[in-house]
Each structure stands twice: as structure tokens, then as C-alpha cells.
Amino acid sequence: LTPWTALLFAVDGLSWHLVHNLLNDWQDLNDDDNVEDSFRLAYGCHVLKQGFVTKTTFLKIMAGVGVPGAILTAVFRTTALAPAALYGILALFFYTIVFKPLALGEIVIYLVWGPLMAGFGQIAAGAPWTGPAALFTDPSVALFGLSAFAMIMGKHTDKITRSNKKTLPKVLGYPGALFGCGFSIVAPHVLLAATLVKERFLCPTPTPTIPWGCALAFLTLFREVPSTLSILRLGQLKDKMQPNLPMDTQFKGTLVDGDVGRAWPLWFVAFTGWHGVTFSYLLVLGSALEWTLRVFARSIL
């Protein structure tokens, strides 16, 4: 294990992620947020559009949060982690201006959070580099990518009538976008179950890609999954810009409850994100618990 490399890689990714969010706000000034009744301005704030900070200050903040990422990217340039920075930066700068207009934004999100972040994150933590094919075929990588994919599907479904971008939900339309969100909720569970069965029973391997502890994520099948799917079913019948549940409605969750009042107006993304975050946390927690039990067992034997 190489925990310090993994920690630095996490800081690197966090830095570039902050830069991306700020850059996305800047680019949206001349796009979705250019109109006074944009979704963002109707329900939230835009620090540039509403003049909370000047463009000069905004650029300074963007540059500041990008310093750690730039330094660490330079440090990793001669390691197996170098491709993550290269392709990640390309996604950062071209996500809004190139990929979203081509309805590829959701796919890019999957690739960034799956192969680039989760895949190279494993390598940073000490996993061997076996070639780029492993980044796209490793089920554990796909699980995290699908969780992020679910969130962005929910977000773009929320904005399906309030964005001029050619997002995947807009291409699918209603109710196709809702079925897409539902697929992104169910698919990780199918993949997790199939991988556990395959690697333990059908084609046993001495080095499985997913530990048994990850089965802890199946807990979301009892709360987050049915609740989120029920929200999606309601979405087929409701006014797309109004919740049709009382604001004090709560759904019991495994780690945190789903709260309609706190979620609104981030309707679909709030619940797809609720499932995705809980599922991912339980994957990591289950892996950590299994690792701890293995270490403890070895210490007493």
C-alpha cells in the first residue's frame, strides 16, 4: 500500500475538481445563466452574475485553488498516474464547451469519476498498473463511475426544460430521461452482485476485484433504491418544475434521510445523488471493515 501517494492523488483530484466547478460557472455566464430566469438564478445564486465578486477576484480564486493540482500534476508526470492528469485536464476545459453540446457530458462524467479517479486512485494506493484496458473493465471502477453518472443524469433531468445544452436527458426526453436515471440506480447493484458471484463461484480468482465487504452497499436496496425509484415514477406524472409531495416529506435512509424540503428544487439529482453517495460510502466502508477484520485475524493467528 502507498497511502501517502493516494492522499496526494486525492488532493490533486480535489484541486482540479474545484477549478472545474469555478470554470463551469464562468463558462455558463454566456450560456444557461445568461438569461434572468435561468434555473440557477431562480433557485440559487451565481456569484459572478449577481456581482458578489468581481471577475478579477473570481479568477484569482480559481488560480489559487488550482495551485495544489498544478504542483501535484507536475510531481506525478513521470509516474503511472500521469495519464489521469492529462485526460482529466482535457475533460475539465472541454466539458462545457465541447462535450455537453454533443450530449457526451454524462459519458465524460462517468469516465472521469470511474477510470480516471477511481481507477487511477487504486494505482495511487498501490495497485499494479496492468494497462489501460483494466481501467475500463474493472467492475470496482465502474461502480463509482455509475454513481457519478446517476447524479449528473438527475441534475440534467432537473434542468431538461431550463437548459439550452444538448444533454443526454434532453436527447432522451420524457419519460426516457427518467428511465435513464432509474437505470443508473439499478445498474450498480446488478454489476456488484454479478461480480461477486462470478469471482467467487463461477470463475473463482485468487485476486478478486471486489471484496466481500462491498456487499454492505446492498443495504441501499432497502431504503435508497425504492425511495429514489418512487420519486422517478412520480416524475412521470408531475409538473416538472414543481414537487408534488409535501415539503416536510422524509424518506428513511441508511446513513442519512432523504428530505424533500432540503432537496427542492434539486429534485431528481437530490435523490439520485442520495443513493449514489450512500452506495459509494458503503462500498468503501465495507472494504475497510473487511480489511480491518483480515488484519485483526492475522494478528491473533
Side-chain angles (χ1 to χ4, degrees):
L1 294 176
T2 54
W4 287 110
T5 303
L7 178 61
L8 291 175
F9 184 75
V11 172
D12 188 16
L14 178 61
S15 174
W16 286 119
H17 185 57
L18 290 170
V19 171
H20 166 75
N21 285 352
L22 294 171
L23 181 63
N24 196 41
D25 281 356
W26 180 283
Q27 292 170 328
D28 276 347
L29 270 180
N30 297 316
D31 206 332
D32 286 347
D33 293 325
N34 192 36
V35 294
E36 295 302 324
D37 64 340
S38 72
F39 186 87
R40 173 79 169 269
L41 295 178
Y43 298 107
C45 67
H46 192 299
V47 295
L48 278 175
K49 181 72 174 180
Q50 295 171 282
F52 293 124
V53 298
T54 65
K55 289 186 176 182
T56 300
T57 300
F58 191 85
L59 289 173
K60 288 180 180 178
I61 294 172
M62 192 189 307
V65 299
V67 168
I71 293 173
L72 290 171
T73 296
V75 171
F76 291 140
R77 73 185 187 282
T78 58
T79 70
L81 302 175
L86 173 62
Y87 296 117
I89 292 173
L90 288 175
L92 183 156
F93 285 105
F94 294 110
Y95 172 75
T96 299
I97 61 177
V98 174
F99 298 119
K100 283 179 70 174
L102 297 175
L104 295 174
E106 293 80 10
I107 304 301
V108 171
I109 292 296
Y110 170 84
L111 293 174
V112 168
W113 286 86
L116 291 187
M117 297 182 71
F120 279 101
Q122 291 183 3
I123 296 169
W129 168 253
T130 57
L135 296 174
F136 299 94
T137 58
D138 187 334
S140 64
V141 169
L143 291 175
F144 289 99
L146 285 170
S147 294
F149 178 81
M151 291 187 218
I152 199 66
M153 280 293 293
K155 176 182 176 182
H156 289 164
T157 301
D158 278 328
K159 298 173 64 176
I160 197 168
T161 61
R162 303 291 291 271
S163 173
N164 58 21
K165 288 295 185 184
K166 189 180 179 182
T167 61
L168 183 55
K170 181 166 285 191
V171 171
L172 295 173
Y174 269 100
L178 297 172
F179 284 112
C181 290
F183 165 81
S184 66
I185 295 298
V186 174
H189 293 275
V190 175
L191 178 61
L192 177 57
T195 303
L196 289 173
V197 170
K198 176 187 175 183
E199 295 184 342
R200 263 56 177 210
F201 304 109
L202 300 180
C203 303
T205 173
T207 56
T209 58
I210 296 179
W212 271 118
C214 286
L216 190 65
F218 286 133
L219 288 176
T220 57
L221 286 171
F222 299 98
R223 290 179 173 175
E224 286 77 9
V225 170
S227 296
T228 301
L229 293 180
S230 70
I231 290 293
L232 294 174
R233 284 194 295 271
L234 286 173
Q236 299 181 59
L237 304 174
K238 74 181 187 71
D239 178 344
K240 303 173 185 60
M241 297 310 296
Q242 295 292 329
N244 60 350
L245 290 173
M247 282 294 188
D248 60 354
T249 303
Q250 289 195 338
F251 295 90
K252 196 66 178 176
T254 307
L255 300 179
V256 295
D257 294 341
D259 189 325
V260 169
R262 293 180 61 188
W264 180 254
L266 299 177
W267 186 246
F268 298 121
V269 67
F271 288 96
T272 56
W274 176 48
H275 169 267
V277 169
T278 305
F279 182 85
S280 299
Y281 279 10
L282 290 175
L283 282 177
V284 176
L285 178 60
S287 299
L289 287 174
E290 179 177 338
W291 181 81
T292 302
L293 289 174
R294 287 177 180 272
V295 171
F296 178 73
R298 289 172 183 171
S299 68
I300 61 176
L301 293 178

